[in-house]
Amino acid sequence: MDSRTMFVLLWMLLSSTSTGIKLDEMVMLMLSLQSVQKYHRMTRLLIKSRTWSLKGRFIFMKHWIKTRTEFFEKAKIIIDNPNPAYGDEPYTNQYEECGVEGQYIHLTPDYLRDNTLINLYGAKGRVLVHEWAHLRWGVYDEYSEEKPFYYSNGNIEATRCSKDIKGQLSDVTTGSPCRNDPRTSLPTKGCKFFPNRYQNTHSSIMFLPSLDSVRTFCRENEHNYEAPNLQNKKCGKATWTVIFEDSVDKDALRSLKPLKSSPPAPTFKVVQRMHRVVCLVLDVSGSMQGSRILRLQQAATHFLQNIIEDQSSVGMVTFSTDASTLSSLTRIDSDTTRERLVALLPKTASGSTNMCKGLNQGLEVLKKDNGDVLGDEIIFLTDGEATDNLNSCVLNAINSGAIIHTIALGNKADKALREMADKTASDDILSNQLLNGFSTLTVPTGDQTKDPVQIDSVGAKTSDWFNGTVSVDQTIGTKTSFTITYETTVPKIYIQSPSGSVYNQMQMRHDESTKTVSLKVPGTAQHGDWKYNIQSPTLQSVTVTATSQAARADVPPIIVKAHMNQKFSDGTKPMIVFAVVTQNYKPVINAEVWATLEPESGPPQILQLLDNGAGADAFKDDGNQNGQARFTLQKRGGAPYVSGYVVNGVVEPNPSKPPVPAESLVIGSFTRIATGESFEVVLKSTTPPNFPPNRITDLIAEIQEDTVLLNWTAPGEDLDQGTAKSYKIVWSFDLKMLRFNFTNAHEVNISGISPQESGSVEQHSFNLNITIQNGTTLFFAVQSEDKEHVKSEISNIAQASKIIPLPKPREVLDIDLNLMFIAISVCLATVVIMGIIAITTWVLKRSKPS
């Protein structure tokens, strides 16, 4: 990878003098650049490269800056190898509701270097503006590859916004005018809309940013509500309206003024992550006695043996009334070094809880590495009940440049711990399951083949057999380990490989002081189901945790990430749990995903996370659903590929973009465990909030004869939980009337319909008591209501047209052609025969003697 070239191209891409963007009101570019500066923590740009040699006039520094919180996994704009579903096509990963920020923009090195792609997608600056609107403001595309055409007032229209964009329809496979499918009367698959190169309209960026005339977003008076695109399905309003009324910048936009001069050129800070430096700062005060100190030992043992990467440096500090250093920074270079650190773990607890002494001592240990703590890490484990004033040292810790992970036991954690974790861009884990908490404390490098993966983690309180299965799938297998913990008496443990080989305790490591038994599978673990059988001689808690790494350096493992949509709620907005299951950039679908929420008191709450395109899930079949797990190469948006343009009435096609493989790969059984973030809910009143049923976004309508068929996913009583009380279904000949005057539209009689449980598929048919003629187009919408008469938002508006298939003249035509061919053949044969006879007669006459 020529990283210098890529850096220069990136500079040019973001430079205001080379983007080629000319926005009427400069809204897009100004907010893009201002937001990068104002919200720099949220919009870090990270270029992934393993070999960098940056020299030239664009670099004004001699050395790398050591990273602090710049992680590849947290970057908002990434440059990496292609997503198989997109190739080199730029796209934004977004899976939340309309108006909510996306996850990241993905650009490829070839996209930045290859200027021929400008013909396919448009100028790079314009493309970045298109993707920034996805990322920052949560708007969606106004084109559709699934439904590129639709009916409007009896006419065929290309799916676009605005309808003022003119063009021609042409078949890309033949270059001739498009033909219509006799079943739908819409253009066939090879038909594409070719826009005129020169347009009179200025909108819209979310449809086709490659057009020179396009400089703004669609406003309400320009927006095409009929177009079957994601913007209408997910938002139901113009992109301009979403940006100014629903986005994260809506308040700032109220006082927005046009720029008086060109925006400043972007600046770059080039950083590099060196080897990892970590200090464990462990609470050994009196409140950590008993089971807490044992759990601390077991979790830290698992971290040191299986999680912390080779060549990392690890130190250890304990604190109670005072603080002491158990180990200075030690390079992890062998299993022997790991075991030496495990042997130093504290075994007793007493005294008060002077957190500041422990924190300051940990920072001093980190300084011994290179004189500063920038980018180094502290894993701060405590019961959270400080006896000193923690606020007196938090500011110094935040300003030090260190990354501080806090793991707080119990429900009395000092709020300063949360602030310290938030300000250093770390995860604050509030959980009693320390083993899982420590397993998440990795620093992603962007190379997932080198990161540990937690396969499974289960536990039980038993005095009998504890049995289970761990699936080692084809994407993992190296450095596979099983860690078993117990409370009082060592159990009998047997672990069986898929081929039947049995590992017993003679082949495992037993640390009696930490009550931990571990097995490191030699070489690459066999793919398949590994079975464990554990017999506990007494009633005690037993846990099993399995971890592994990628089986091959060129095949990233399947990973799962979990996060909340927000870290704090006062009850006005719902808390949403997201889980993303991927291999590199390929989503894994048909996996069964469950989330466990652990409150400070009371039993845990277990939720199944569905991939049905309803409720909190934005796209169906892009993640998880019951069934056989497989990879999917489903594409759902991004910068639009332009098939070509019309110039002077002539279609000038673009080169075809490289084909994307359509086949998805079945991956079989696998398991993954991920520990998410902590969050806080403080209700404004003692009465729990009553959320309405979630908005239906997948309503589909179809007309068969005189019957209307409607299909959607059932919402819940509260958002996507429970069962709604009732539905209201309305229809109209006029989409805008339905959109803006829902209550006055024609209502469908659904007295016999009761909503099903959330997530169920609703399929219903109706007769509207009107005559539906060929070419009739109707619009439908649904609203649900809960038992407290709280109504949901109006659903997406579904369009249905009655199309009577044209008669199939093909067979008749074939017969006529056959008859014509036979007749012509006979005529030709007759002519030939007559010619032969005439020539023969002439020759015979010439041959007679005079």
Side-chain angles (χ1 to χ4, degrees), residues 89-140:
E89 180 176 321
Y91 72 95
T92 301
N93 187 28
Q94 57 179 149
Y95 50 74
E96 297 195 42
E97 62 186 8
C98 178
V100 178
E101 291 180 90
Q103 279 64 52
Y104 57 81
I105 296 172
H106 185 175
L107 306 174
T108 69
D110 285 344
Y111 172 76
L112 291 177
R113 294 182 297 205
D114 189 354
N115 285 331
T116 63
L117 295 176
I118 293 176
N119 294 328
L120 304 185
Y121 303 107
K124 294 174 182 177
R126 290 174 172 270
V127 169
L128 183 63
V129 169
H130 176 94
E131 298 306 327
W132 181 265
H134 283 307
L135 177 73
R136 184 66 182 170
W137 297 315
V139 297
Y140 286 88

Short mmCIF file of all heavy atoms in Angstrom, two decimals, residues 89-140:
data_model
loop_
_atom_site.label_atom_id
_atom_site.label_comp_id
_atom_site.label_asym_id
_atom_site.label_seq_id
_atom_site.Cartn_x
_atom_site.Cartn_y
_atom_site.Cartn_z
N GLU A 89 -17.06 0.89 -3.68
CA GLU A 89 -18.11 1.90 -3.55
C GLU A 89 -18.16 2.46 -2.14
O GLU A 89 -18.26 1.71 -1.17
CB GLU A 89 -19.47 1.29 -3.91
CG GLU A 89 -20.62 2.25 -3.82
CD GLU A 89 -21.92 1.61 -4.26
OE1 GLU A 89 -21.88 0.83 -5.23
OE2 GLU A 89 -22.96 1.87 -3.65
N PRO A 90 -18.05 3.78 -1.97
CA PRO A 90 -18.14 4.36 -0.63
C PRO A 90 -19.53 4.13 -0.03
O PRO A 90 -20.54 4.14 -0.75
CB PRO A 90 -17.90 5.86 -0.86
CG PRO A 90 -17.24 5.93 -2.20
CD PRO A 90 -17.79 4.80 -2.99
N TYR A 91 -19.59 3.93 1.27
CA TYR A 91 -20.88 3.75 1.93
C TYR A 91 -20.74 4.15 3.39
O TYR A 91 -19.65 4.30 3.93
CB TYR A 91 -21.37 2.31 1.82
CG TYR A 91 -20.61 1.32 2.69
CD1 TYR A 91 -21.07 0.97 3.96
CD2 TYR A 91 -19.41 0.77 2.25
CE1 TYR A 91 -20.36 0.08 4.75
CE2 TYR A 91 -18.71 -0.12 3.04
CZ TYR A 91 -19.18 -0.46 4.29
OH TYR A 91 -18.48 -1.33 5.08
N THR A 92 -21.89 4.31 4.04
CA THR A 92 -21.95 4.62 5.47
C THR A 92 -22.72 3.51 6.17
O THR A 92 -23.81 3.14 5.74
CB THR A 92 -22.63 5.96 5.72
OG1 THR A 92 -21.90 6.98 5.05
CG2 THR A 92 -22.67 6.28 7.20
N ASN A 93 -22.15 3.00 7.23
CA ASN A 93 -22.84 1.98 8.02
C ASN A 93 -23.78 2.68 8.99
O ASN A 93 -23.34 3.39 9.89
CB ASN A 93 -21.83 1.12 8.78
CG ASN A 93 -22.48 -0.05 9.49
OD1 ASN A 93 -23.50 -0.55 9.04
ND2 ASN A 93 -21.89 -0.49 10.58
N GLN A 94 -25.07 2.52 8.80
CA GLN A 94 -26.06 3.11 9.69
C GLN A 94 -27.19 2.09 9.88
O GLN A 94 -27.68 1.51 8.92
CB GLN A 94 -26.60 4.44 9.16
CG GLN A 94 -27.21 4.39 7.78
CD GLN A 94 -27.74 5.71 7.30
OE1 GLN A 94 -27.72 5.97 6.11
NE2 GLN A 94 -28.23 6.56 8.16
N TYR A 95 -27.56 1.86 11.14
CA TYR A 95 -28.62 0.89 11.39
C TYR A 95 -29.59 1.36 12.47
O TYR A 95 -30.35 0.57 13.02
CB TYR A 95 -28.03 -0.48 11.76
CG TYR A 95 -26.97 -0.48 12.85
CD1 TYR A 95 -27.31 -0.29 14.18
CD2 TYR A 95 -25.64 -0.70 12.54
CE1 TYR A 95 -26.35 -0.29 15.17
CE2 TYR A 95 -24.67 -0.72 13.51
CZ TYR A 95 -25.03 -0.52 14.83
OH TYR A 95 -24.07 -0.54 15.81
N GLU A 96 -29.56 2.66 12.78
CA GLU A 96 -30.51 3.16 13.76
C GLU A 96 -31.61 3.95 13.07
O GLU A 96 -31.67 4.02 11.84
CB GLU A 96 -29.78 4.00 14.81
CG GLU A 96 -28.77 3.18 15.62
CD GLU A 96 -28.31 3.90 16.87
OE1 GLU A 96 -29.16 4.50 17.56
OE2 GLU A 96 -27.10 3.85 17.16
N GLU A 97 -32.49 4.55 13.85
CA GLU A 97 -33.65 5.20 13.29
C GLU A 97 -33.28 6.49 12.57
O GLU A 97 -32.15 6.99 12.68
CB GLU A 97 -34.67 5.49 14.39
CG GLU A 97 -34.14 6.43 15.46
CD GLU A 97 -35.10 6.60 16.62
OE1 GLU A 97 -36.11 5.89 16.66
OE2 GLU A 97 -34.85 7.46 17.47
N CYS A 98 -34.24 7.04 11.84
CA CYS A 98 -34.03 8.26 11.08
C CYS A 98 -33.60 9.41 12.00
O CYS A 98 -34.12 9.58 13.09
CB CYS A 98 -35.32 8.63 10.36
SG CYS A 98 -35.23 10.16 9.41
N GLY A 99 -32.61 10.19 11.55
CA GLY A 99 -32.15 11.33 12.31
C GLY A 99 -31.06 11.02 13.31
O GLY A 99 -30.53 11.93 13.95
N VAL A 100 -30.69 9.74 13.45
CA VAL A 100 -29.65 9.32 14.40
C VAL A 100 -28.34 9.11 13.65
O VAL A 100 -28.32 8.58 12.54
CB VAL A 100 -30.06 8.03 15.14
CG1 VAL A 100 -28.96 7.58 16.09
CG2 VAL A 100 -31.36 8.25 15.91
N GLU A 101 -27.25 9.54 14.26
CA GLU A 101 -25.94 9.41 13.62
C GLU A 101 -25.63 7.96 13.24
O GLU A 101 -25.99 7.02 13.94
CB GLU A 101 -24.85 9.93 14.54
CG GLU A 101 -24.88 11.43 14.77
CD GLU A 101 -23.78 11.87 15.70
OE1 GLU A 101 -22.68 12.18 15.21
OE2 GLU A 101 -24.02 11.91 16.92
N GLY A 102 -24.93 7.81 12.12
CA GLY A 102 -24.48 6.49 11.70
C GLY A 102 -23.23 6.06 12.44
O GLY A 102 -22.72 6.78 13.31
N GLN A 103 -22.70 4.88 12.08
CA GLN A 103 -21.55 4.33 12.79
C GLN A 103 -20.22 4.79 12.17
O GLN A 103 -19.33 5.24 12.86
CB GLN A 103 -21.62 2.80 12.78
CG GLN A 103 -22.54 2.25 13.85
CD GLN A 103 -23.99 2.68 13.63
OE1 GLN A 103 -24.54 2.50 12.54
NE2 GLN A 103 -24.60 3.24 14.64
N TYR A 104 -20.07 4.68 10.85
CA TYR A 104 -18.82 5.08 10.22
C TYR A 104 -19.01 5.18 8.71
O TYR A 104 -19.93 4.58 8.13
CB TYR A 104 -17.67 4.10 10.52
CG TYR A 104 -17.95 2.67 10.12
CD1 TYR A 104 -17.78 2.25 8.80
CD2 TYR A 104 -18.38 1.73 11.05
CE1 TYR A 104 -18.04 0.95 8.43
CE2 TYR A 104 -18.65 0.43 10.69
CZ TYR A 104 -18.48 0.04 9.38
OH TYR A 104 -18.74 -1.26 9.01
N ILE A 105 -18.14 5.97 8.06
CA ILE A 105 -18.03 6.00 6.61
C ILE A 105 -16.86 5.10 6.22
O ILE A 105 -15.79 5.18 6.81
CB ILE A 105 -17.78 7.43 6.10
CG1 ILE A 105 -18.98 8.34 6.41
CG2 ILE A 105 -17.51 7.44 4.59
CD1 ILE A 105 -18.72 9.80 6.10
N HIS A 106 -17.06 4.27 5.22
CA HIS A 106 -16.02 3.34 4.79
C HIS A 106 -15.56 3.72 3.38
O HIS A 106 -16.34 3.69 2.42
CB HIS A 106 -16.57 1.90 4.78
CG HIS A 106 -15.53 0.87 4.46
ND1 HIS A 106 -15.78 -0.48 4.51
CD2 HIS A 106 -14.22 0.97 4.10
CE1 HIS A 106 -14.69 -1.15 4.18
NE2 HIS A 106 -13.74 -0.28 3.92
N LEU A 107 -14.29 4.10 3.25
CA LEU A 107 -13.64 4.35 1.97
C LEU A 107 -12.54 3.33 1.78
O LEU A 107 -11.96 2.83 2.76
CB LEU A 107 -13.05 5.77 1.92
CG LEU A 107 -13.98 6.93 2.26
CD1 LEU A 107 -13.19 8.24 2.30
CD2 LEU A 107 -15.12 7.04 1.27
N THR A 108 -12.23 3.00 0.55
CA THR A 108 -11.16 2.04 0.29
C THR A 108 -9.94 2.75 -0.28
O THR A 108 -10.05 3.82 -0.88
CB THR A 108 -11.61 0.95 -0.71
OG1 THR A 108 -11.77 1.55 -2.00
CG2 THR A 108 -12.92 0.32 -0.27
N PRO A 109 -8.74 2.18 -0.12
CA PRO A 109 -7.55 2.79 -0.71
C PRO A 109 -7.66 2.96 -2.22
O PRO A 109 -7.26 3.98 -2.77
CB PRO A 109 -6.43 1.81 -0.33
CG PRO A 109 -6.93 1.12 0.90
CD PRO A 109 -8.42 1.01 0.72
N ASP A 110 -8.24 1.96 -2.91
CA ASP A 110 -8.37 2.06 -4.36
C ASP A 110 -9.33 3.18 -4.75
O ASP A 110 -9.14 3.83 -5.78
CB ASP A 110 -8.86 0.73 -4.95
CG ASP A 110 -7.75 -0.31 -4.98
OD1 ASP A 110 -6.58 0.07 -4.84
OD2 ASP A 110 -8.07 -1.51 -5.12
N TYR A 111 -10.37 3.39 -3.95
CA TYR A 111 -11.30 4.49 -4.26
C TYR A 111 -10.57 5.83 -4.20
O TYR A 111 -10.78 6.70 -5.05
CB TYR A 111 -12.47 4.49 -3.29
CG TYR A 111 -13.35 5.72 -3.46
CD1 TYR A 111 -14.23 5.83 -4.52
CD2 TYR A 111 -13.24 6.80 -2.59
CE1 TYR A 111 -15.00 6.96 -4.70
CE2 TYR A 111 -14.00 7.94 -2.76
CZ TYR A 111 -14.89 8.02 -3.82
OH TYR A 111 -15.62 9.15 -4.00
N LEU A 112 -9.71 6.01 -3.23
CA LEU A 112 -8.99 7.28 -3.10
C LEU A 112 -7.94 7.46 -4.18
O LEU A 112 -7.67 8.58 -4.62
CB LEU A 112 -8.33 7.36 -1.72
CG LEU A 112 -9.28 7.49 -0.52
CD1 LEU A 112 -8.49 7.48 0.77
CD2 LEU A 112 -10.09 8.76 -0.63
N ARG A 113 -7.35 6.36 -4.64
CA ARG A 113 -6.25 6.47 -5.60
C ARG A 113 -6.71 6.46 -7.05
O ARG A 113 -6.05 7.02 -7.91
CB ARG A 113 -5.25 5.33 -5.37
CG ARG A 113 -4.53 5.41 -4.05
CD ARG A 113 -3.52 4.30 -3.88
NE ARG A 113 -4.15 2.99 -3.87
CZ ARG A 113 -3.61 1.92 -3.27
NH1 ARG A 113 -2.46 2.05 -2.66
NH2 ARG A 113 -4.22 0.76 -3.28
N ASP A 114 -7.83 5.79 -7.31
CA ASP A 114 -8.26 5.57 -8.69
C ASP A 114 -9.23 6.67 -9.14
O ASP A 114 -10.40 6.65 -8.79
CB ASP A 114 -8.92 4.19 -8.81
CG ASP A 114 -9.21 3.81 -10.25
OD1 ASP A 114 -9.00 4.66 -11.14
OD2 ASP A 114 -9.64 2.67 -10.49
N ASN A 115 -8.74 7.60 -9.93
CA ASN A 115 -9.58 8.71 -10.38
C ASN A 115 -10.60 8.30 -11.43
O ASN A 115 -11.53 9.06 -11.73
CB ASN A 115 -8.72 9.85 -10.91
CG ASN A 115 -8.05 10.63 -9.79
OD1 ASN A 115 -8.57 10.70 -8.68
ND2 ASN A 115 -6.88 11.17 -10.06
N THR A 116 -10.44 7.11 -12.03
CA THR A 116 -11.44 6.67 -12.99
C THR A 116 -12.78 6.39 -12.32
O THR A 116 -13.82 6.38 -12.98
CB THR A 116 -10.97 5.40 -13.73
OG1 THR A 116 -10.81 4.33 -12.78
CG2 THR A 116 -9.64 5.65 -14.44
N LEU A 117 -12.77 6.16 -11.00
CA LEU A 117 -14.03 5.91 -10.29
C LEU A 117 -14.88 7.16 -10.16
O LEU A 117 -16.04 7.08 -9.80
CB LEU A 117 -13.73 5.34 -8.90
CG LEU A 117 -13.06 3.96 -8.88
CD1 LEU A 117 -12.74 3.53 -7.46
CD2 LEU A 117 -13.97 2.92 -9.55
N ILE A 118 -14.29 8.33 -10.46
CA ILE A 118 -15.08 9.57 -10.44
C ILE A 118 -16.21 9.48 -11.46
O ILE A 118 -17.32 9.97 -11.23
CB ILE A 118 -14.18 10.79 -10.72
CG1 ILE A 118 -13.20 10.98 -9.55
CG2 ILE A 118 -15.00 12.05 -10.94
CD1 ILE A 118 -12.20 12.10 -9.78
N ASN A 119 -15.95 8.81 -12.59
CA ASN A 119 -16.99 8.67 -13.60
C ASN A 119 -18.14 7.82 -13.09
O ASN A 119 -19.29 7.99 -13.53
CB ASN A 119 -16.41 8.03 -14.87
CG ASN A 119 -15.41 8.94 -15.55
OD1 ASN A 119 -15.53 10.16 -15.50
ND2 ASN A 119 -14.39 8.34 -16.19
N LEU A 120 -17.86 6.89 -12.20
CA LEU A 120 -18.90 5.97 -11.72
C LEU A 120 -19.70 6.54 -10.56
O LEU A 120 -20.89 6.25 -10.44
CB LEU A 120 -18.27 4.64 -11.29
CG LEU A 120 -17.41 3.91 -12.32
CD1 LEU A 120 -16.97 2.57 -11.76
CD2 LEU A 120 -18.17 3.72 -13.62
N TYR A 121 -19.06 7.34 -9.70
CA TYR A 121 -19.72 7.79 -8.47
C TYR A 121 -19.78 9.31 -8.34
O TYR A 121 -20.49 9.82 -7.48
CB TYR A 121 -19.01 7.22 -7.24
CG TYR A 121 -18.94 5.72 -7.25
CD1 TYR A 121 -17.74 5.06 -7.49
CD2 TYR A 121 -20.08 4.96 -7.03
CE1 TYR A 121 -17.69 3.67 -7.52
CE2 TYR A 121 -20.03 3.57 -7.05
CZ TYR A 121 -18.83 2.94 -7.30
OH TYR A 121 -18.79 1.57 -7.33
N GLY A 122 -19.04 10.04 -9.14
CA GLY A 122 -19.02 11.49 -9.02
C GLY A 122 -17.76 11.96 -8.32
O GLY A 122 -16.94 11.17 -7.83
N ALA A 123 -17.59 13.30 -8.27
CA ALA A 123 -16.42 13.89 -7.63
C ALA A 123 -16.32 13.43 -6.18
O ALA A 123 -17.33 13.31 -5.47
CB ALA A 123 -16.51 15.41 -7.69
N LYS A 124 -15.09 13.19 -5.72
CA LYS A 124 -14.90 12.60 -4.39
C LYS A 124 -15.40 13.50 -3.27
O LYS A 124 -15.91 13.03 -2.26
CB LYS A 124 -13.43 12.25 -4.20
CG LYS A 124 -12.97 11.15 -5.14
CD LYS A 124 -11.48 10.89 -5.07
CE LYS A 124 -11.08 9.80 -6.06
NZ LYS A 124 -9.63 9.55 -6.09
N GLY A 125 -15.25 14.81 -3.45
CA GLY A 125 -15.76 15.72 -2.43
C GLY A 125 -17.26 15.64 -2.30
O GLY A 125 -17.82 15.65 -1.20
N ARG A 126 -17.95 15.54 -3.45
CA ARG A 126 -19.41 15.44 -3.42
C ARG A 126 -19.85 14.13 -2.77
O ARG A 126 -20.83 14.08 -2.03
CB ARG A 126 -19.97 15.53 -4.84
CG ARG A 126 -19.83 16.92 -5.45
CD ARG A 126 -20.28 16.90 -6.91
NE ARG A 126 -20.32 18.25 -7.43
CZ ARG A 126 -21.40 19.03 -7.38
NH1 ARG A 126 -22.50 18.58 -6.81
NH2 ARG A 126 -21.38 20.24 -7.88
N VAL A 127 -19.13 13.07 -3.09
CA VAL A 127 -19.45 11.77 -2.50
C VAL A 127 -19.29 11.83 -0.98
O VAL A 127 -20.11 11.29 -0.22
CB VAL A 127 -18.57 10.66 -3.10
CG1 VAL A 127 -18.72 9.36 -2.31
CG2 VAL A 127 -18.95 10.43 -4.56
N LEU A 128 -18.23 12.49 -0.52
CA LEU A 128 -18.02 12.61 0.92
C LEU A 128 -19.16 13.39 1.57
O LEU A 128 -19.60 13.05 2.68
CB LEU A 128 -16.69 13.30 1.21
CG LEU A 128 -16.31 13.41 2.70
CD1 LEU A 128 -16.15 12.03 3.30
CD2 LEU A 128 -15.04 14.21 2.87
N VAL A 129 -19.67 14.41 0.89
CA VAL A 129 -20.80 15.16 1.42
C VAL A 129 -22.03 14.26 1.54
O VAL A 129 -22.74 14.28 2.54
CB VAL A 129 -21.10 16.38 0.51
CG1 VAL A 129 -22.43 17.01 0.88
CG2 VAL A 129 -20.00 17.41 0.64
N HIS A 130 -22.27 13.46 0.50
CA HIS A 130 -23.39 12.51 0.51
C HIS A 130 -23.28 11.56 1.71
O HIS A 130 -24.26 11.34 2.43
CB HIS A 130 -23.38 11.72 -0.81
CG HIS A 130 -24.41 10.64 -0.90
ND1 HIS A 130 -25.65 10.83 -1.47
CD2 HIS A 130 -24.39 9.35 -0.49
CE1 HIS A 130 -26.34 9.71 -1.41
NE2 HIS A 130 -25.59 8.80 -0.82
N GLU A 131 -22.08 11.01 1.91
CA GLU A 131 -21.90 10.06 3.01
C GLU A 131 -21.93 10.75 4.37
O GLU A 131 -22.38 10.18 5.36
CB GLU A 131 -20.59 9.29 2.83
CG GLU A 131 -20.53 8.46 1.56
CD GLU A 131 -21.70 7.51 1.41
OE1 GLU A 131 -22.22 7.01 2.44
OE2 GLU A 131 -22.13 7.29 0.27
N TRP A 132 -21.43 12.00 4.42
CA TRP A 132 -21.45 12.72 5.69
C TRP A 132 -22.89 12.94 6.16
O TRP A 132 -23.18 12.90 7.35
CB TRP A 132 -20.72 14.05 5.55
CG TRP A 132 -20.69 14.82 6.83
CD1 TRP A 132 -21.54 15.80 7.23
CD2 TRP A 132 -19.76 14.64 7.90
NE1 TRP A 132 -21.20 16.26 8.48
CE2 TRP A 132 -20.11 15.56 8.92
CE3 TRP A 132 -18.68 13.80 8.10
CZ2 TRP A 132 -19.41 15.65 10.11
CZ3 TRP A 132 -17.98 13.90 9.29
CH2 TRP A 132 -18.35 14.82 10.27
N ALA A 133 -23.80 13.18 5.23
CA ALA A 133 -25.21 13.36 5.61
C ALA A 133 -25.76 12.09 6.23
O ALA A 133 -26.56 12.14 7.16
CB ALA A 133 -26.02 13.78 4.38
N HIS A 134 -25.36 10.93 5.70
CA HIS A 134 -25.74 9.66 6.33
C HIS A 134 -25.17 9.58 7.75
O HIS A 134 -25.88 9.27 8.71
CB HIS A 134 -25.16 8.48 5.53
CG HIS A 134 -25.88 8.16 4.27
ND1 HIS A 134 -27.23 7.92 4.22
CD2 HIS A 134 -25.43 8.00 3.01
CE1 HIS A 134 -27.59 7.64 2.97
NE2 HIS A 134 -26.50 7.69 2.22
N LEU A 135 -23.87 9.86 7.86
CA LEU A 135 -23.16 9.67 9.13
C LEU A 135 -23.63 10.64 10.21
O LEU A 135 -23.93 10.24 11.33
CB LEU A 135 -21.65 9.83 8.90
CG LEU A 135 -20.77 9.74 10.14
CD1 LEU A 135 -20.69 8.32 10.63
CD2 LEU A 135 -19.37 10.28 9.85
N ARG A 136 -23.68 11.91 9.87
CA ARG A 136 -23.92 12.93 10.88
C ARG A 136 -25.40 13.17 11.17
O ARG A 136 -25.80 13.36 12.31
CB ARG A 136 -23.26 14.24 10.42
CG ARG A 136 -23.35 15.38 11.44
CD ARG A 136 -22.57 15.07 12.69
NE ARG A 136 -22.69 16.13 13.68
CZ ARG A 136 -22.27 16.04 14.92
NH1 ARG A 136 -21.69 14.92 15.34
NH2 ARG A 136 -22.40 17.04 15.76
N TRP A 137 -26.20 13.13 10.12
CA TRP A 137 -27.59 13.55 10.28
C TRP A 137 -28.60 12.42 10.14
O TRP A 137 -29.80 12.64 10.30
CB TRP A 137 -27.90 14.67 9.29
CG TRP A 137 -27.07 15.89 9.55
CD1 TRP A 137 -26.82 16.47 10.76
CD2 TRP A 137 -26.35 16.65 8.59
NE1 TRP A 137 -26.00 17.55 10.61
CE2 TRP A 137 -25.70 17.70 9.29
CE3 TRP A 137 -26.21 16.59 7.21
CZ2 TRP A 137 -24.91 18.64 8.65
CZ3 TRP A 137 -25.42 17.54 6.57
CH2 TRP A 137 -24.78 18.55 7.30
N GLY A 138 -28.15 11.22 9.83
CA GLY A 138 -29.05 10.07 9.83
C GLY A 138 -30.11 10.09 8.76
O GLY A 138 -31.21 9.55 8.96
N VAL A 139 -29.82 10.70 7.60
CA VAL A 139 -30.75 10.64 6.48
C VAL A 139 -30.41 9.43 5.62
O VAL A 139 -29.34 8.83 5.76
CB VAL A 139 -30.73 11.93 5.64
CG1 VAL A 139 -31.16 13.11 6.48
CG2 VAL A 139 -29.34 12.18 5.06
N TYR A 140 -31.33 9.08 4.72
CA TYR A 140 -31.15 7.87 3.91
C TYR A 140 -31.16 8.21 2.42
O TYR A 140 -31.49 9.33 2.02
CB TYR A 140 -32.24 6.85 4.24
CG TYR A 140 -32.03 6.19 5.58
CD1 TYR A 140 -32.55 6.75 6.75
CD2 TYR A 140 -31.30 5.01 5.68
CE1 TYR A 140 -32.34 6.13 7.98
CE2 TYR A 140 -31.08 4.41 6.90
CZ TYR A 140 -31.60 4.97 8.05
OH TYR A 140 -31.38 4.38 9.26
#
